[in-house]
Amino acid sequence: MDSRQTPSPNAVLSASLRLIRSHRRMRTIDVAAGMNMALRSYEHFESGAGRINLERIHRFAEVTNSDAHAILAALAIGSPAFALRCADNKLATIIAVVLQEFDEEAGDAIADLDARTIINAFTKTLKDLADQSVRKDAEAEAWLAERKGRLMTPARDDGSGDA
Protein backbone atom coordinates (compact mmCIF):
# COMPACT_ATOMS: atom_id res chain seq x y z
CA MET A 1 0.00 0.00 0.00
CA ASP A 2 1.21 3.52 -0.79
CA SER A 3 2.19 5.36 2.38
CA ARG A 4 1.86 8.80 0.79
CA GLN A 5 -1.18 10.76 1.83
CA THR A 6 -3.35 12.03 -0.99
CA PRO A 7 -4.20 15.67 -0.40
CA SER A 8 -7.87 16.59 -0.29
CA PRO A 9 -9.37 18.29 -3.36
CA ASN A 10 -9.82 21.44 -1.28
CA ALA A 11 -6.13 21.44 -0.31
CA VAL A 12 -5.16 20.95 -3.97
CA LEU A 13 -7.48 23.78 -5.00
CA SER A 14 -6.04 26.10 -2.37
CA ALA A 15 -2.45 25.34 -3.33
CA SER A 16 -3.26 25.71 -7.05
CA LEU A 17 -4.87 29.11 -6.58
CA ARG A 18 -2.02 30.39 -4.42
CA LEU A 19 0.64 29.14 -6.84
CA ILE A 20 -1.02 30.81 -9.80
CA ARG A 21 -1.73 34.06 -7.96
CA SER A 22 1.88 34.23 -6.76
CA HIS A 23 3.17 33.39 -10.24
CA ARG A 24 1.12 36.29 -11.59
CA ARG A 25 2.46 38.51 -8.77
CA MET A 26 -1.06 39.44 -7.78
CA ARG A 27 -2.29 40.28 -4.32
CA THR A 28 -5.38 38.66 -2.84
CA ILE A 29 -7.15 42.03 -2.84
CA ASP A 30 -6.48 42.43 -6.59
CA VAL A 31 -7.85 39.01 -7.46
CA ALA A 32 -10.85 39.55 -5.17
CA ALA A 33 -11.63 42.85 -6.90
CA GLY A 34 -11.23 41.28 -10.32
CA MET A 35 -13.65 38.54 -9.34
CA ASN A 36 -16.10 41.08 -7.83
CA MET A 37 -15.80 39.40 -4.45
CA ALA A 38 -15.31 40.77 -0.99
CA LEU A 39 -11.73 40.20 0.17
CA ARG A 40 -12.86 37.94 3.01
CA SER A 41 -14.96 35.82 0.64
CA TYR A 42 -12.04 35.52 -1.77
CA GLU A 43 -9.70 34.51 1.07
CA HIS A 44 -12.23 31.86 2.09
CA PHE A 45 -12.31 30.60 -1.54
CA GLU A 46 -8.52 30.62 -1.91
CA SER A 47 -8.08 28.75 1.37
CA GLY A 48 -10.10 25.90 -0.12
CA ALA A 49 -12.77 26.22 2.54
CA GLY A 50 -16.30 25.27 1.61
CA ARG A 51 -17.55 23.55 -1.51
CA ILE A 52 -15.60 23.64 -4.73
CA ASN A 53 -17.30 26.23 -6.93
CA LEU A 54 -16.80 25.81 -10.69
CA GLU A 55 -18.00 29.30 -11.54
CA ARG A 56 -15.48 30.85 -9.14
CA ILE A 57 -12.67 28.70 -10.55
CA HIS A 58 -13.49 29.95 -14.04
CA ARG A 59 -13.66 33.57 -12.83
CA PHE A 60 -10.32 33.14 -11.04
CA ALA A 61 -8.76 31.79 -14.24
CA GLU A 62 -10.13 34.72 -16.21
CA VAL A 63 -8.80 37.28 -13.73
CA THR A 64 -5.37 35.62 -13.47
CA ASN A 65 -5.17 34.69 -17.18
CA SER A 66 -4.69 31.04 -16.27
CA ASP A 67 -6.29 27.72 -17.26
CA ALA A 68 -9.54 26.83 -15.45
CA HIS A 69 -9.51 23.34 -16.95
CA ALA A 70 -5.98 22.78 -15.62
CA ILE A 71 -7.12 23.81 -12.14
CA LEU A 72 -9.93 21.25 -12.38
CA ALA A 73 -7.54 18.61 -13.74
CA ALA A 74 -5.17 19.39 -10.86
CA LEU A 75 -7.98 18.40 -8.49
CA ALA A 76 -8.40 15.07 -10.31
CA ILE A 77 -4.70 14.23 -10.38
CA GLY A 78 -3.78 15.78 -7.02
CA SER A 79 -1.15 18.13 -8.47
CA PRO A 80 -1.31 21.87 -7.81
CA ALA A 81 1.90 22.16 -9.84
CA PHE A 82 -0.02 20.94 -12.91
CA ALA A 83 -2.35 23.94 -12.64
CA LEU A 84 0.66 26.25 -12.53
CA ARG A 85 2.46 24.45 -15.37
CA CYS A 86 -0.57 24.99 -17.62
CA ALA A 87 -1.29 28.58 -16.57
CA ASP A 88 0.56 30.15 -19.49
CA ASN A 89 0.11 27.63 -22.31
CA LYS A 90 -3.50 26.63 -21.47
CA LEU A 91 -2.76 22.93 -22.10
CA ALA A 92 -5.88 21.59 -20.37
CA THR A 93 -8.19 24.06 -22.13
CA ILE A 94 -6.63 23.10 -25.46
CA ILE A 95 -7.25 19.43 -24.66
CA ALA A 96 -10.87 20.21 -23.74
CA VAL A 97 -11.38 22.06 -27.05
CA VAL A 98 -9.81 19.20 -29.02
CA LEU A 99 -12.03 16.69 -27.17
CA GLN A 100 -15.08 18.81 -27.98
CA GLU A 101 -14.15 18.82 -31.67
CA PHE A 102 -13.44 15.07 -31.54
CA ASP A 103 -16.87 14.47 -30.01
CA GLU A 104 -18.53 16.54 -32.75
CA GLU A 105 -16.61 14.81 -35.55
CA ALA A 106 -16.52 11.19 -34.34
CA GLY A 107 -19.84 11.12 -32.51
CA ASP A 108 -21.10 7.64 -31.64
CA ALA A 109 -17.97 6.02 -33.10
CA ILE A 110 -16.18 7.08 -29.90
CA ALA A 111 -18.02 4.28 -28.07
CA ASP A 112 -16.40 1.74 -30.41
CA LEU A 113 -12.84 2.70 -29.40
CA ASP A 114 -11.18 0.23 -27.05
CA ALA A 115 -9.35 1.40 -23.94
CA ARG A 116 -5.94 0.04 -25.04
CA THR A 117 -6.07 2.07 -28.29
CA ILE A 118 -6.97 5.23 -26.40
CA ILE A 119 -4.25 4.67 -23.78
CA ASN A 120 -1.63 4.01 -26.45
CA ALA A 121 -2.62 7.06 -28.51
CA PHE A 122 -2.57 9.46 -25.56
CA THR A 123 0.60 7.98 -24.07
CA LYS A 124 2.45 8.35 -27.39
CA THR A 125 1.14 11.88 -27.98
CA LEU A 126 2.03 13.11 -24.50
CA LYS A 127 5.46 11.46 -24.62
CA ASP A 128 6.08 13.19 -27.97
CA LEU A 129 5.09 16.54 -26.40
CA ALA A 130 7.45 15.98 -23.46
CA ASP A 131 10.28 14.99 -25.82
CA GLN A 132 9.67 18.10 -27.92
CA SER A 133 9.90 20.29 -24.83
CA VAL A 134 13.21 18.70 -23.76
CA ARG A 135 14.57 18.93 -27.31
CA LYS A 136 13.53 22.58 -27.53
CA ASP A 137 15.36 23.35 -24.27
CA ALA A 138 18.47 21.48 -25.43
CA GLU A 139 18.43 23.33 -28.76
CA ALA A 140 18.14 26.67 -26.98
CA GLU A 141 21.02 25.81 -24.64
CA ALA A 142 23.20 24.71 -27.57
CA TRP A 143 22.38 27.89 -29.49
CA LEU A 144 23.32 30.06 -26.50
CA ALA A 145 26.51 28.11 -25.74
CA GLU A 146 27.62 28.44 -29.35
CA ARG A 147 27.07 32.18 -29.49
CA LYS A 148 27.84 33.51 -26.02
CA GLY A 149 31.57 33.01 -26.57
CA ARG A 150 31.45 35.93 -29.02
CA LEU A 151 30.41 38.35 -26.29
CA MET A 152 32.96 40.52 -24.56
CA THR A 153 33.63 39.43 -21.02
CA PRO A 154 35.22 41.51 -18.27
CA ALA A 155 38.87 40.84 -17.51
CA ARG A 156 39.39 38.69 -14.43
CA ASP A 157 40.82 40.30 -11.38
CA ASP A 158 43.89 38.26 -10.49
CA GLY A 159 44.07 39.82 -7.05
CA SER A 160 47.09 42.01 -7.84
CA GLY A 161 45.05 45.19 -7.63
CA ASP A 162 45.70 45.97 -11.30
CA ALA A 163 42.50 46.12 -13.27
Side-chain angles (χ1 to χ4, degrees):
M1 181 162 177
D2 192 339
S3 63
R4 291 179 291 176
Q5 280 244 305
T6 303
S8 73
N10 291 57
V12 172
L13 176 63
S14 178
S16 298
L17 300 177
R18 286 186 176 121
L19 282 170
I20 292 167
R21 181 178 54 75
S22 295
H23 176 70
R24 295 289 188 240
R25 292 184 169 91
M26 297 177 78
R27 300 176 303 165
T28 54
I29 195 163
D30 299 325
V31 178
M35 292 178 66
N36 295 320
M37 292 177 72
L39 177 59
R40 201 142 163 86
S41 296
Y42 174 77
E43 290 170 340
H44 183 77
F45 167 64
E46 187 180 273
S47 73
R51 293 182 133 175
I52 293 174
N53 182 314
L54 296 178
E55 192 260 331
R56 282 187 177 174
I57 291 171
H58 280 270
R59 279 195 314 185
F60 172 87
E62 187 177 313
V63 169
T64 60
N65 187 26
S66 58
D67 188 342
H69 294 93
I71 296 168
L72 296 171
L75 298 176
I77 66 175
S79 175
F82 181 78
L84 179 61
R85 291 178 185 124
C86 298
D88 294 330
N89 66 18
K90 313 294 190 282
L91 171 67
T93 294
I94 292 167
I95 291 172
V97 169
V98 170
L99 282 173
Q100 181 183 45
E101 291 174 355
F102 178 64
D103 179 54
E104 291 168 358
E105 292 171 14
D108 291 340
I110 293 171
D112 295 332
L113 294 170
D114 67 284
R116 176 54 50 203
T117 300
I118 296 167
I119 291 166
N120 289 341
F122 277 101
T123 300
K124 181 185 181 328
T125 300
L126 295 175
K127 183 178 181 335
D128 289 348
L129 281 174
D131 289 347
Q132 183 178 356
S133 175
V134 169
R135 196 168 41 252
K136 181 179 168 184
D137 288 347
E139 288 171 5
E141 288 175 19
W143 180 91
L144 183 58
E146 178 184 321
R147 288 163 175 82
K148 76 178 182 181
R150 294 187 243 161
L151 296 174
M152 296 292 294
T153 57
R156 289 196 172 184
D157 184 0
D158 62 6
S160 65
D162 299 327

